[in-house]
Amino acid sequence: MTASSFLWHYATILLAVMCCFLPRSTSSLNLEDPNVCSHWESYSVTVQESYAHPFDQIYYTSCSDILNWFKCTRHR
């Protein structure tokens, strides 16, 4: 999950929870009223992500290949 999608999901859940617990009287607020204030706040959230990547380890073993000086390449 990327940081932006994490923030989007977090904000959506937070908004849903806030709507459930707000008193019903807030729906009658008039935003044009001079006594109603608005406040905007922005913040950053640090998210640590980890990923699994395939890894190919090359090693050499003894074998009967005379053209490669009796060394064969192996992978794990």
Side-chain angles (χ1 to χ4, degrees):
M1 178 180 284
T2 64
S4 61
S5 66
F6 173 79
L7 289 176
W8 176 255
H9 291 288
Y10 179 78
T12 304
I13 292 170
L14 184 61
L15 181 62
V17 169
M18 286 175 40
C19 287
C20 291
F21 292 104
L22 283 176
R24 294 294 174 203
S25 63
T26 58
S27 62
S28 63
L29 281 178
N30 180 3
L31 298 179
E32 302 299 320
D33 190 310
N35 294 321
V36 175
C37 301
S38 63
H39 174 74
W40 290 93
E41 198 172 296
S42 65
Y43 56 92
S44 299
V45 176
T46 303
V47 177
Q48 183 176 358
E49 295 181 1
S50 62
Y51 301 95
H53 297 282
F55 177 73
D56 183 23
Q57 183 179 15
I58 301 171
Y59 64 100
Y60 301 96
T61 60
S62 300
C63 65
S64 59
D65 188 355
I66 193 168
L67 296 176
N68 287 320
W69 295 96
F70 302 105
K71 285 200 261 183
C72 292
T73 304
R74 300 282 186 249
H75 299 269
R76 61 173 136 178

Coordinates of all heavy atoms in Angstrom, one line a residue:
M1 N 0.8 -1.2 0.0 CA 0.0 0.0 0.0 C 0.9 1.2 0.0 O 1.8 1.3 0.8 CB -0.9 0.0 1.2 CG -1.8 1.2 1.3 SD -2.9 1.2 2.8 CE -4.1 0.0 2.3
T2 N 0.6 2.1 -0.9 CA 1.5 3.3 -1.0 C 1.0 4.3 0.1 O 0.0 4.2 0.7 CB 1.3 4.0 -2.3 OG1 0.0 4.4 -2.5 CG2 1.7 3.1 -3.5
A3 N 1.9 5.3 0.3 CA 1.6 6.3 1.4 C 0.4 7.1 1.1 O -0.4 7.4 1.9 CB 2.8 7.2 1.6
S4 N 0.2 7.5 -0.2 CA -1.0 8.3 -0.6 C -2.3 7.5 -0.4 O -3.3 8.0 0.0 CB -0.9 8.8 -2.0 OG -0.8 7.7 -2.9
S5 N -2.3 6.2 -0.8 CA -3.5 5.4 -0.6 C -3.7 5.1 0.9 O -4.9 5.1 1.3 CB -3.4 4.1 -1.4 OG -2.4 3.2 -0.9
F6 N -2.7 5.0 1.6 CA -2.8 4.8 3.1 C -3.5 6.0 3.7 O -4.5 5.9 4.5 CB -1.5 4.6 3.8 CG -1.6 4.6 5.3 CD1 -2.0 3.5 5.9 CD2 -1.2 5.7 6.0 CE1 -2.1 3.5 7.3 CE2 -1.2 5.7 7.4 CZ -1.7 4.6 8.0
L7 N -3.1 7.2 3.3 CA -3.6 8.5 3.8 C -5.1 8.6 3.4 O -5.9 9.1 4.1 CB -2.8 9.7 3.3 CG -1.5 9.8 4.0 CD1 -0.7 11.0 3.4 CD2 -1.6 10.0 5.5
W8 N -5.4 8.2 2.1 CA -6.8 8.3 1.6 C -7.7 7.4 2.4 O -8.7 7.8 2.9 CB -6.8 7.9 0.1 CG -8.2 7.9 -0.4 CD1 -8.9 6.8 -0.7 CD2 -9.0 9.1 -0.7 NE1 -10.2 7.2 -1.2 CE2 -10.2 8.6 -1.2 CE3 -8.8 10.4 -0.6 CZ2 -11.3 9.4 -1.6 CZ3 -9.9 11.2 -1.0 CH2 -11.1 10.7 -1.5
H9 N -7.3 6.2 2.7 CA -8.1 5.2 3.5 C -8.2 5.7 4.9 O -9.3 5.7 5.5 CB -7.5 3.8 3.4 CG -7.6 3.2 2.1 ND1 -8.8 2.7 1.6 CD2 -6.6 2.9 1.2 CE1 -8.5 2.2 0.4 NE2 -7.3 2.3 0.1
Y10 N -7.1 6.2 5.5 CA -7.2 6.7 6.8 C -8.1 7.9 6.9 O -8.9 8.0 7.9 CB -5.7 7.1 7.2 CG -5.6 7.7 8.6 CD1 -5.7 6.9 9.7 CD2 -5.5 9.1 8.8 CE1 -5.6 7.4 11.0 CE2 -5.4 9.6 10.1 CZ -5.5 8.7 11.2 OH -5.4 9.3 12.5
A11 N -8.1 8.8 6.0 CA -8.9 10.0 6.0 C -10.4 9.6 5.9 O -11.3 10.2 6.5 CB -8.5 11.0 5.0
T12 N -10.7 8.7 5.0 CA -12.0 8.2 4.7 C -12.6 7.6 6.0 O -13.7 7.8 6.4 CB -12.1 7.2 3.6 OG1 -11.5 7.8 2.4 CG2 -13.5 6.7 3.3
I13 N -11.8 6.7 6.7 CA -12.3 6.1 7.9 C -12.5 7.1 9.0 O -13.5 7.0 9.7 CB -11.3 5.0 8.3 CG1 -11.3 3.8 7.3 CG2 -11.6 4.5 9.7 CD1 -10.2 2.8 7.5
L14 N -11.6 8.0 9.1 CA -11.7 9.1 10.1 C -12.9 9.9 9.9 O -13.6 10.2 10.9 CB -10.4 9.9 10.1 CG -10.3 11.0 11.2 CD1 -10.3 10.4 12.6 CD2 -9.1 11.9 11.0
L15 N -13.2 10.3 8.7 CA -14.4 11.0 8.4 C -15.7 10.3 8.7 O -16.6 10.8 9.3 CB -14.4 11.4 6.9 CG -15.6 12.3 6.4 CD1 -15.6 13.6 7.2 CD2 -15.5 12.5 4.9
A16 N -15.7 9.0 8.4 CA -16.9 8.1 8.7 C -17.1 8.0 10.2 O -18.2 8.1 10.7 CB -16.7 6.8 8.1
V17 N -16.0 7.9 11.0 CA -16.1 7.8 12.4 C -16.6 9.1 13.0 O -17.5 9.1 13.9 CB -14.8 7.3 13.0 CG1 -14.8 7.4 14.5 CG2 -14.5 5.9 12.6
M18 N -16.1 10.2 12.5 CA -16.5 11.5 13.0 C -17.9 11.8 12.7 O -18.6 12.3 13.6 CB -15.6 12.6 12.4 CG -14.2 12.6 13.0 SD -13.1 13.8 12.2 CE -14.1 15.2 11.9
C19 N -18.4 11.4 11.6 CA -19.8 11.6 11.2 C -20.8 10.8 12.1 O -21.9 11.2 12.4 CB -20.1 11.2 9.8 SG -19.4 12.4 8.6
C20 N -20.3 9.7 12.6 CA -21.2 8.8 13.5 C -21.3 9.4 14.9 O -22.3 9.2 15.5 CB -20.6 7.4 13.6 SG -20.7 6.5 12.1
F21 N -20.3 10.1 15.3 CA -20.3 10.6 16.7 C -20.6 12.1 16.8 O -20.7 12.6 17.9 CB -18.9 10.3 17.4 CG -18.7 8.9 17.6 CD1 -17.9 8.1 16.8 CD2 -19.4 8.2 18.6 CE1 -17.7 6.8 16.9 CE2 -19.2 6.8 18.8 CZ -18.4 6.1 17.9
L22 N -20.7 12.8 15.7 CA -21.1 14.2 15.8 C -22.5 14.4 16.3 O -23.4 13.6 15.9 CB -20.9 14.9 14.5 CG -19.5 15.2 14.1 CD1 -19.5 15.8 12.7 CD2 -18.8 16.2 15.0
P23 N -22.8 15.4 17.1 CA -24.2 15.6 17.5 C -25.0 16.0 16.3 O -24.5 16.6 15.4 CB -24.1 16.7 18.5 CG -22.7 16.9 18.9 CD -21.9 16.3 17.8
R24 N -26.3 15.7 16.3 CA -27.2 16.0 15.2 C -27.4 17.5 15.0 O -27.7 17.9 14.0 CB -28.5 15.3 15.4 CG -28.4 13.8 15.3 CD -28.0 13.4 14.0 NE -27.8 11.9 13.9 CZ -27.1 11.3 13.0 NH1 -26.5 12.0 12.1 NH2 -26.9 10.0 13.1
S25 N -27.1 18.3 16.1 CA -27.4 19.7 16.0 C -26.3 20.4 15.0 O -26.6 21.5 14.5 CB -27.3 20.4 17.4 OG -26.0 20.2 17.9
T26 N -25.2 19.8 14.8 CA -24.2 20.4 13.9 C -24.7 20.4 12.4 O -24.2 21.2 11.7 CB -22.9 19.6 13.9 OG1 -23.1 18.2 13.5 CG2 -22.3 19.6 15.3
S27 N -25.7 19.6 12.1 CA -26.2 19.7 10.7 C -27.0 21.0 10.5 O -27.2 21.3 9.3 CB -27.0 18.5 10.4 OG -28.1 18.4 11.3
S28 N -27.4 21.7 11.5 CA -28.1 22.9 11.3 C -27.3 24.2 11.4 O -27.8 25.3 11.4 CB -29.2 23.0 12.4 OG -28.6 23.1 13.7
L29 N -25.9 24.0 11.4 CA -25.0 25.1 11.4 C -25.1 25.8 10.0 O -25.1 25.2 9.0 CB -23.6 24.7 11.6 CG -23.1 24.4 13.0 CD1 -21.7 23.9 13.0 CD2 -23.3 25.6 13.9
N30 N -25.1 27.1 10.1 CA -25.1 28.0 8.9 C -23.6 28.4 8.7 O -23.1 29.2 9.5 CB -26.0 29.2 9.0 CG -26.0 30.0 7.8 OD1 -25.3 29.7 6.8 ND2 -26.8 31.1 7.8
L31 N -23.0 27.9 7.6 CA -21.6 28.2 7.4 C -21.4 29.7 7.1 O -20.2 30.2 7.1 CB -21.0 27.3 6.3 CG -21.0 25.8 6.7 CD1 -20.5 25.0 5.5 CD2 -20.2 25.6 8.0
E32 N -22.4 30.4 6.7 CA -22.3 31.8 6.3 C -22.4 32.7 7.6 O -22.2 33.9 7.5 CB -23.4 32.2 5.3 CG -23.4 31.4 4.1 CD -22.0 31.6 3.3 OE1 -21.5 32.7 3.3 OE2 -21.5 30.6 2.8
D33 N -22.8 32.1 8.7 CA -22.9 32.9 9.9 C -21.6 33.5 10.3 O -20.6 32.8 10.3 CB -23.5 31.9 11.0 CG -23.9 32.7 12.3 OD1 -23.1 33.5 12.8 OD2 -25.0 32.4 12.8
P34 N -21.5 34.7 10.8 CA -20.3 35.3 11.1 C -19.6 34.7 12.4 O -18.5 34.9 12.7 CB -20.6 36.8 11.4 CG -22.1 36.9 11.6 CD -22.6 35.7 10.8
N35 N -20.4 34.0 13.2 CA -19.9 33.4 14.4 C -19.4 31.9 14.1 O -19.0 31.2 15.1 CB -21.0 33.3 15.5 CG -21.3 34.7 15.9 OD1 -20.5 35.6 16.0 ND2 -22.6 35.0 16.1
V36 N -19.4 31.5 12.9 CA -18.9 30.1 12.6 C -17.5 30.3 12.0 O -17.2 31.0 11.1 CB -19.8 29.4 11.6 CG1 -19.2 28.1 11.1 CG2 -21.2 29.3 12.2
C37 N -16.5 29.6 12.6 CA -15.2 29.6 12.2 C -14.8 28.3 11.5 O -15.3 27.3 11.8 CB -14.2 29.9 13.3 SG -14.6 31.4 14.3
S38 N -13.8 28.4 10.6 CA -13.3 27.2 10.0 C -11.8 27.1 10.3 O -11.1 28.2 10.3 CB -13.6 27.1 8.5 OG -13.0 28.2 7.9
H39 N -11.3 26.0 10.4 CA -9.8 25.8 10.6 C -9.3 24.6 9.8 O -9.9 23.5 9.8 CB -9.6 25.5 12.1 CG -8.2 25.1 12.5 ND1 -7.2 26.1 12.6 CD2 -7.6 24.0 12.8 CE1 -6.1 25.5 12.9 NE2 -6.3 24.2 13.0
W40 N -8.3 24.9 9.0 CA -7.7 23.9 8.1 C -6.4 23.5 8.7 O -5.6 24.3 9.2 CB -7.5 24.4 6.7 CG -8.8 24.6 6.0 CD1 -9.6 25.7 5.9 CD2 -9.5 23.6 5.3 NE1 -10.7 25.5 5.2 CE2 -10.7 24.1 4.8 CE3 -9.3 22.2 5.1 CZ2 -11.7 23.4 4.1 CZ3 -10.3 21.5 4.4 CH2 -11.4 22.1 3.9
E41 N -6.1 22.2 8.7 CA -4.9 21.7 9.3 C -4.3 20.7 8.3 O -5.0 19.8 7.8 CB -5.2 21.1 10.6 CG -4.0 20.9 11.5 CD -4.4 20.4 12.9 OE1 -5.1 21.1 13.6 OE2 -4.1 19.2 13.2
S42 N -3.0 20.8 8.1 CA -2.3 19.7 7.2 C -1.2 19.1 8.0 O -0.6 19.8 8.9 CB -1.8 20.3 5.9 OG -0.8 21.3 6.2
Y43 N -0.9 17.9 7.8 CA 0.2 17.2 8.5 C 0.7 16.1 7.6 O 0.1 15.7 6.6 CB -0.3 16.6 9.8 CG -1.5 15.7 9.7 CD1 -1.3 14.4 9.6 CD2 -2.8 16.2 9.7 CE1 -2.4 13.5 9.4 CE2 -3.9 15.4 9.6 CZ -3.7 14.0 9.5 OH -4.8 13.2 9.3
S44 N 1.9 15.6 8.0 CA 2.5 14.5 7.2 C 2.5 13.3 8.1 O 2.7 13.4 9.3 CB 3.9 14.9 6.8 OG 3.9 16.0 6.0
V45 N 2.4 12.1 7.5 CA 2.4 10.8 8.2 C 3.6 10.0 7.6 O 3.6 9.9 6.4 CB 1.1 10.1 8.1 CG1 1.2 8.7 8.8 CG2 0.0 10.9 8.7
T46 N 4.5 9.5 8.4 CA 5.5 8.7 7.9 C 5.1 7.2 7.9 O 4.6 6.7 8.9 CB 6.8 8.8 8.8 OG1 7.2 10.2 8.8 CG2 7.9 8.0 8.3
V47 N 5.3 6.6 6.8 CA 4.8 5.2 6.7 C 6.1 4.4 6.3 O 6.8 4.7 5.3 CB 3.7 5.0 5.6 CG1 3.4 3.5 5.4 CG2 2.5 5.8 6.0
Q48 N 6.3 3.3 6.9 CA 7.4 2.4 6.6 C 6.9 1.2 5.8 O 6.0 0.5 6.3 CB 8.2 1.9 7.8 CG 9.4 1.1 7.5 CD 10.1 0.7 8.8 OE1 9.8 1.1 9.9 NE2 11.2 0.0 8.6
E49 N 7.4 1.0 4.6 CA 7.0 -0.2 3.8 C 8.2 -1.1 3.5 O 9.3 -0.6 3.5 CB 6.5 0.3 2.5 CG 5.2 1.2 2.6 CD 4.7 1.6 1.3 OE1 5.3 1.3 0.2 OE2 3.7 2.4 1.3
S50 N 7.9 -2.4 3.4 CA 8.9 -3.3 3.1 C 8.4 -4.1 1.9 O 7.2 -4.4 1.7 CB 9.3 -4.2 4.2 OG 8.2 -4.9 4.7
Y51 N 9.4 -4.6 1.1 CA 9.0 -5.4 -0.1 C 9.9 -6.6 -0.1 O 11.1 -6.6 0.2 CB 9.3 -4.6 -1.4 CG 8.5 -3.3 -1.4 CD1 9.0 -2.1 -1.0 CD2 7.1 -3.3 -1.9 CE1 8.2 -0.9 -1.1 CE2 6.4 -2.2 -2.0 CZ 6.9 -1.0 -1.6 OH 6.2 0.2 -1.6
A52 N 9.4 -7.7 -0.7 CA 10.2 -8.9 -0.9 C 10.6 -8.9 -2.4 O 9.7 -8.8 -3.2 CB 9.3 -10.1 -0.5
H53 N 11.8 -9.1 -2.6 CA 12.4 -9.1 -4.0 C 13.0 -10.5 -4.2 O 13.8 -10.9 -3.3 CB 13.4 -8.0 -4.2 CG 12.8 -6.6 -4.1 ND1 12.1 -6.1 -5.1 CD2 12.9 -5.7 -3.1 CE1 11.7 -4.9 -4.7 NE2 12.2 -4.6 -3.5
P54 N 12.8 -11.1 -5.3 CA 13.6 -12.3 -5.6 C 15.1 -12.1 -5.7 O 15.5 -11.0 -6.1 CB 13.0 -12.8 -7.0 CG 12.3 -11.6 -7.5 CD 12.0 -10.7 -6.4
F55 N 15.8 -13.0 -5.3 CA 17.3 -12.9 -5.3 C 17.9 -14.1 -5.8 O 17.6 -15.2 -5.4 CB 17.8 -12.6 -3.8 CG 19.3 -12.5 -3.7 CD1 19.9 -11.4 -4.1 CD2 20.0 -13.6 -3.1 CE1 21.3 -11.3 -4.0 CE2 21.3 -13.5 -3.0 CZ 22.0 -12.4 -3.4
D56 N 18.8 -14.0 -6.8 CA 19.5 -15.1 -7.4 C 20.9 -15.1 -7.0 O 21.7 -14.2 -7.3 CB 19.4 -15.0 -8.9 CG 20.0 -16.2 -9.7 OD1 20.1 -17.2 -9.1 OD2 20.3 -16.0 -10.8
Q57 N 21.3 -16.1 -6.2 CA 22.7 -16.2 -5.8 C 23.4 -17.1 -6.7 O 23.0 -18.3 -6.9 CB 22.8 -16.7 -4.4 CG 24.2 -16.7 -3.9 CD 24.3 -17.2 -2.4 OE1 23.4 -17.7 -1.9 NE2 25.5 -17.0 -1.8
I58 N 24.5 -16.7 -7.3 CA 25.3 -17.5 -8.2 C 26.5 -18.0 -7.5 O 27.2 -17.3 -6.8 CB 25.8 -16.6 -9.5 CG1 24.5 -16.1 -10.2 CG2 26.6 -17.5 -10.4 CD1 24.9 -15.1 -11.3
Y59 N 26.8 -19.3 -7.7 CA 28.0 -19.9 -7.0 C 28.5 -20.9 -8.0 O 27.9 -21.3 -9.0 CB 27.7 -20.5 -5.7 CG 26.7 -21.6 -5.7 CD1 27.2 -22.9 -5.6 CD2 25.3 -21.4 -5.8 CE1 26.3 -24.0 -5.6 CE2 24.5 -22.5 -5.8 CZ 24.9 -23.8 -5.7 OH 24.1 -24.8 -5.7
Y60 N 29.8 -21.3 -7.8 CA 30.5 -22.3 -8.6 C 30.7 -23.6 -7.9 O 31.0 -23.6 -6.7 CB 31.8 -21.6 -9.1 CG 31.6 -20.3 -9.9 CD1 31.7 -19.1 -9.2 CD2 31.2 -20.3 -11.2 CE1 31.5 -17.9 -9.9 CE2 31.0 -19.2 -11.9 CZ 31.1 -18.0 -11.2 OH 30.9 -16.8 -11.9
T61 N 30.6 -24.7 -8.7 CA 30.9 -26.0 -8.1 C 31.9 -26.7 -9.1 O 32.0 -26.3 -10.2 CB 29.6 -26.8 -8.0 OG1 29.0 -27.0 -9.2 CG2 28.7 -26.2 -7.0
S62 N 32.5 -27.7 -8.6 CA 33.3 -28.6 -9.4 C 32.5 -29.5 -10.3 O 31.4 -30.0 -9.8 CB 34.2 -29.4 -8.5 OG 35.0 -28.6 -7.7
C63 N 32.9 -29.6 -11.5 CA 32.1 -30.5 -12.4 C 33.1 -31.0 -13.5 O 34.3 -30.7 -13.5 CB 31.0 -29.8 -13.0 SG 31.4 -28.4 -14.1
S64 N 32.6 -31.8 -14.4 CA 33.4 -32.4 -15.4 C 33.5 -31.6 -16.7 O 33.9 -32.1 -17.7 CB 32.8 -33.8 -15.8 OG 31.5 -33.6 -16.2
D65 N 33.2 -30.3 -16.7 CA 33.3 -29.4 -17.8 C 34.7 -28.9 -18.0 O 35.2 -28.0 -17.4 CB 32.3 -28.3 -17.7 CG 32.2 -27.4 -19.0 OD1 32.9 -27.7 -19.9 OD2 31.4 -26.5 -19.0
I66 N 35.4 -29.6 -18.9 CA 36.9 -29.2 -19.1 C 37.0 -27.9 -19.8 O 38.0 -27.2 -19.5 CB 37.6 -30.3 -19.9 CG1 39.1 -30.2 -19.9 CG2 37.1 -30.3 -21.4 CD1 39.9 -31.3 -20.4
L67 N 36.0 -27.4 -20.6 CA 36.2 -26.1 -21.2 C 36.1 -24.9 -20.2 O 36.6 -23.9 -20.5 CB 35.1 -26.0 -22.3 CG 35.2 -27.0 -23.5 CD1 34.0 -26.8 -24.4 CD2 36.5 -26.8 -24.2
N68 N 35.5 -25.1 -19.1 CA 35.4 -24.1 -18.1 C 36.3 -24.4 -16.9 O 36.0 -24.0 -15.7 CB 33.9 -24.0 -17.6 CG 33.1 -23.3 -18.6 OD1 33.5 -22.3 -19.3 ND2 31.9 -23.7 -18.8
W69 N 37.4 -25.1 -17.1 CA 38.3 -25.5 -16.1 C 37.7 -26.2 -14.9 O 38.0 -26.0 -13.8 CB 39.1 -24.2 -15.6 CG 39.9 -23.6 -16.7 CD1 39.6 -22.6 -17.5 CD2 41.2 -24.0 -17.1 NE1 40.6 -22.3 -18.4 CE2 41.6 -23.2 -18.1 CE3 42.1 -25.0 -16.6 CZ2 42.8 -23.3 -18.8 CZ3 43.3 -25.2 -17.3 CH2 43.7 -24.3 -18.3
F70 N 36.7 -27.1 -15.2 CA 36.1 -28.0 -14.3 C 35.2 -27.2 -13.2 O 35.0 -27.6 -12.1 CB 37.1 -28.9 -13.5 CG 37.8 -29.7 -14.5 CD1 39.2 -29.4 -14.8 CD2 37.3 -30.8 -15.1 CE1 39.9 -30.2 -15.7 CE2 38.0 -31.6 -16.0 CZ 39.3 -31.3 -16.3
K71 N 34.8 -26.0 -13.6 CA 33.9 -25.2 -12.7 C 32.6 -25.0 -13.5 O 32.5 -24.6 -14.6 CB 34.5 -23.9 -12.4 CG 35.6 -23.9 -11.4 CD 35.9 -22.6 -10.8 CE 37.0 -21.9 -11.5 NZ 37.3 -20.6 -10.9
C72 N 31.5 -25.3 -12.8 CA 30.1 -25.0 -13.3 C 29.4 -24.0 -12.5 O 29.6 -23.9 -11.3 CB 29.3 -26.3 -13.3 SG 30.0 -27.6 -14.4
T73 N 28.6 -23.2 -13.2 CA 27.8 -22.1 -12.5 C 26.5 -22.7 -12.0 O 25.8 -23.5 -12.7 CB 27.5 -21.0 -13.5 OG1 28.7 -20.5 -14.0 CG2 26.8 -19.9 -12.8
R74 N 26.2 -22.4 -10.8 CA 24.9 -22.8 -10.2 C 24.1 -21.6 -9.6 O 24.7 -20.6 -9.3 CB 25.1 -23.8 -9.0 CG 25.9 -25.1 -9.4 CD 24.9 -26.0 -10.1 NE 25.6 -27.3 -10.3 CZ 25.9 -27.8 -11.6 NH1 25.6 -27.1 -12.6 NH2 26.5 -28.9 -11.7
H75 N 22.8 -21.8 -9.5 CA 22.0 -20.7 -9.0 C 21.1 -21.2 -7.8 O 20.7 -22.3 -7.8 CB 21.0 -20.2 -10.1 CG 21.7 -19.6 -11.3 ND1 22.0 -18.3 -11.4 CD2 22.2 -20.2 -12.4 CE1 22.7 -18.1 -12.6 NE2 22.8 -19.3 -13.2
R76 N 20.9 -20.3 -6.9 CA 20.0 -20.6 -5.8 C 19.2 -19.4 -5.4 O 19.7 -18.3 -5.5 CB 20.6 -21.3 -4.6 CG 21.7 -20.5 -3.9 CD 22.2 -21.2 -2.7 NE 23.6 -21.2 -2.6 CZ 24.4 -21.7 -1.7 NH1 23.8 -22.3 -0.7 NH2 25.7 -21.6 -1.7

